[in-house]
Each structure stands twice: as C-alpha cells, then as structure tokens.
Amino acid sequence: KHGISHWRRKQLAKALMDKGYSLQNVKDYVARNPLKEFDVRPYLAGRIRHTGFEMHEVLQNAWLESKGLITGRGAGSISRWNPSIALSNPLHKTINSMQAAAGLMDKKVLSTMTRVEVIRANLEILSRAGVPDYAIQHLRKAALIHAREVGYK
C-alpha cells in the first residue's frame, strides 16, 4: 500500500507545526505567512490561493504518475504533501526548459529512474538555474524524507 500512514501524517504535522505550519487550517497559515521566493512548503500550500509564485517539486508529479502512485497533479496526499519550492514564473519556465532538455519531462525516461535519481537530477537543475544553496539543501532534505515515505524505489 502506498500513501502516507496516519503515524507519518502526525509526525509531519508536528514537524511542520514546529516550523509554524498550522495543519488545522492551512489556508490561515498561507494568509498569515505569504510565500516568498525559494520558500519550501508542501505542494498544496502554493495552490490554496494566488501567491504570485509557482510551486516546483523535485520528486516530480510526472514520476509519481509514471509509477502509478498518483492519478494526477495535486491528487492524493502523496502529491499534495510533496515538498516544493516557490519560484517566480520566469525562473520556473527556465527550470522547466532545463528539465525538458535533460529528458525529465519524458514519462518513459522518468519511469526508468529511481526516486533518488529524479530528486538529484532536479536539484542539479535548480543549482544550475541559480536557486540559492540554502533553499536547495532545505528542499533536498524534505524531498528525501517524503520519498522514503512514498516507499517506491
């Protein structure tokens, strides 16, 4: 069975609340703590209301779909809680182009990769695109924790 266990959700809730997240009312949290560029938050945090930023995940939703773990972007807890980084639209477009050039938009390519390979390839692209190292390291840690929870190699 894939997904986030009840125990893990509680563990994530505590970790996120320790950092200021209010899981009881994520909308309130986003309203009180607007996204800033390079903030790392669950994918759903950037989808709650227009923030001026786009959320970019390094454990790609396309990879999760290729492995049959989600049915679509934002569908299910695996996608919604996927750690993501807030990017400006122009930077996000640049990164998406770099992903495409690296074959990371091709589901056939993604389906042959492990979760760690996908995360590493995407972190390298963020670095080459000029995303600050502190944000990359924060995203790396959060994405690897999430990838372990997903449980798919």
Side-chain angles (χ1 to χ4, degrees), residues 33 50 52 85 88 91 96-97 100 108 114-115 125 131 134-136 141 152:
N33 300 283
H50 180 68
I85 189 167
S88 66
L91 181 56
N96 284 346
S97 295
K108 286 182 182 178
T114 68
R115 60 190 176 190
I125 288 170
V131 173
Y134 75 87
I136 292 171
K141 183 177 179 181
Y152 197 99

Side-chain angles (χ1 to χ4, degrees), residues 42 49 56 61 65 80 89 96 104 117 134 145 148:
R49 59 183 233 177
H56 183 81
N61 279 308
E65 281 185 64
R80 288 193 300 267
N89 180 275
N96 284 346
L104 295 174
E117 289 171 335
Y134 75 87
I145 290 169
R148 277 194 301 273

